Amino acid sequence: MVSKYPTSSAPGRYENVVHPDRQLLTGISVLIIGAGVGGIMSALECWRKGHTVRILERSHGPVETGQFKYPHILSGMLIYGPRGDFFTVGPSAVKAFRNWPQLAKENEELAYDPWVSYHKHTGEVVVKPSGMTWDGSRGVAPSRLYRHHRPKFYQMLLAQLAAIGVQVEWDHRVIDYYEDIEAGKGGCILDSGEKLEADLVIAADGLGTRSHKLVVGRKIEARSSGYAIYRTAYPVELALADPQVAERFKMLDNGHSVNEIWVGPDMHLIVWRSQDLMSWLITHKDDGTATESWHDRTSIEDVLTFTAKIPGWPDIMNRVIKTTPEGGITDWKLMWRDPQSQWASPGGRVVQVGDAAHTFVPSSGNGATQAIEDALCLASCLQLGGKSNIPLAVKVHVKLRNDRVSCCQYMGFVNQETYQHTNWDAVTQNPDAIKAKYGSWIWAHDAEKYAYENYGNVVLSIISGEPFENTNTPPGHVPRSWKIDELLALQKEGKTLELDGDWS
Ligand SMILES: Cc1cc2nc3c(=O)[nH]c(=O)nc-3n(C[C@H](O)[C@H](O)[C@H](O)COP(=O)(O)OP(=O)(O)OC[C@H]3O[C@@H](n4cnc5c(N)ncnc54)[C@H](O)[C@@H]3O)c2cc1C
């Protein structure tokens, strides 16, 4: 199908662009709250599966973390350059784009493919740069990374949404959710007092979701995970103006950039010089001053005061930090909510996806990836269940997703432990032990196919009472509930986090 629709975020961009044929209309109306990655991908996939989609967002327009105003090195004139940081979109989420030709093309064009090296916090190399290698042997491992500049990725999704004729309704802040089981409707209340309803409401309103009161019967505030992250990205020319930084952070001869991961005592750093951007992120203990806002800025001096306390920290990284434009660093509080088994309201008319359902620490590399998997699974379950079985379809979706997501969340803490409480004896014997775990149970997963293959089995298990066992978790792993406090207590005692089953 050729798009006939103009796009507000990228005028003209999608004229004559081919997008997927829509599958048979289901008559299911879906109202999505929040236009982050989870919300937009839910909108795209629900549209593709034939559901009717409406999407609301509290912001005035696309969040502009994408532009930086800074003085040009030579002329001193104020010019604009890119800002905003990065995330990696995992292979299981990239699979979503096979159904979206334009997204598949742009994903290849926009994504960076850095090589990765590992270092001690002194800068000493532990593992030399190499292309991303994925653990495990199930399926053909992808050969590259899809590291995305967050604002560009977001714009890419928004433009595709506009191309199919779905416009985000900006300036719509939801303050509460409800459901009317008898009428078979989910609903939300806007700050204007207006009530909106649909066959299913998808709460994709992120970490601070207002849906918990309805879903679990009480408000669950996200709390500090104990860590915060200094994060920034800015035009690379600012960094390269320091000759020592330019010399130290060169592109590789093969054209790839190098993403360096430095591990240290209760902290780790990711520093990456790409073709056009310099980016560094330091995960550190939260002293209570970090916030969760792009608007609160931290000074270079504050970061240097922190690095001054790290024994052996090399001057070159302080030089990098000093190249950051003033006002360009955010000290982002890493918030956490323990894994919860309930993501849907009692009557199944409101369901959470993405960060609203599950929080992640960044070292899991999976928050956005799992939000996209949620979208693929939920849209498919709704299609399979049909309009008369929405609560059942939602129940099946949660069953198919919950154990897997809990494992991904746990993996984030295991990776963080590897980086910040490194077992140097193990690394001396096998330097690869320093690498984060991304096993084939995670990257080889196909959330859409899994939903199609297992929907009937879950329905059968609900009817018969026989247990259903997911196969999208590490083989041999027995799902169990856990809490962050248990993990932090183990860490405090110097114990390692257990991995039962095969996480490779
Ligand atoms: C430092 C860092 C690094 C990360 N790295 C990675 C990575 O490498 N790979 C990865 O997969 N993930 C990564 N993540 C996680 C990823 O960014 C998030 O998990 C993902 O963006 C969540 O998407 P979401 O759509 O669920 O929520 P959000 O992106 O938070 O979107 C929620 C949307 O809802 C809107 N909203 C909120 N409240 C309301 C309301 N009341 N009414 C209406 N609208 C509302 C918000 O304005 C927002 O647009 C990282 C996160 C951090 C902090």
Side-chain angles (χ1 to χ4, degrees), residues 478-495:
V478 180
R480 64 173 185 89
S481 67
W482 55 273
K483 293 189 187 314
I484 187 176
D485 285 339
E486 286 167 32
L487 310 192
L488 295 178
L490 284 173
Q491 266 179 3
K492 217 168 175 185
E493 290 168 31
K495 294 190 177 146

Side-chain angles (χ1 to χ4, degrees), residues 33-39 57-59 85-88 150 172-174 204-206 210 229 231 281 332 334 353-355 362 365-369 371:
I33 314 304
V37 173
E57 164 62 46
R58 69 176 171 189
S59 313
D85 68 357
F86 294 85
F87 52 33
T88 299
R150 202 181 273 266
H172 284 64
R173 179 183 292 271
V174 165
D205 48 350
R210 299 297 188 104
I229 184 166
R231 57 200 296 206
L281 303 96
W332 189 270
L334 294 171
V353 299
D355 278 9
N366 253 282
T369 304

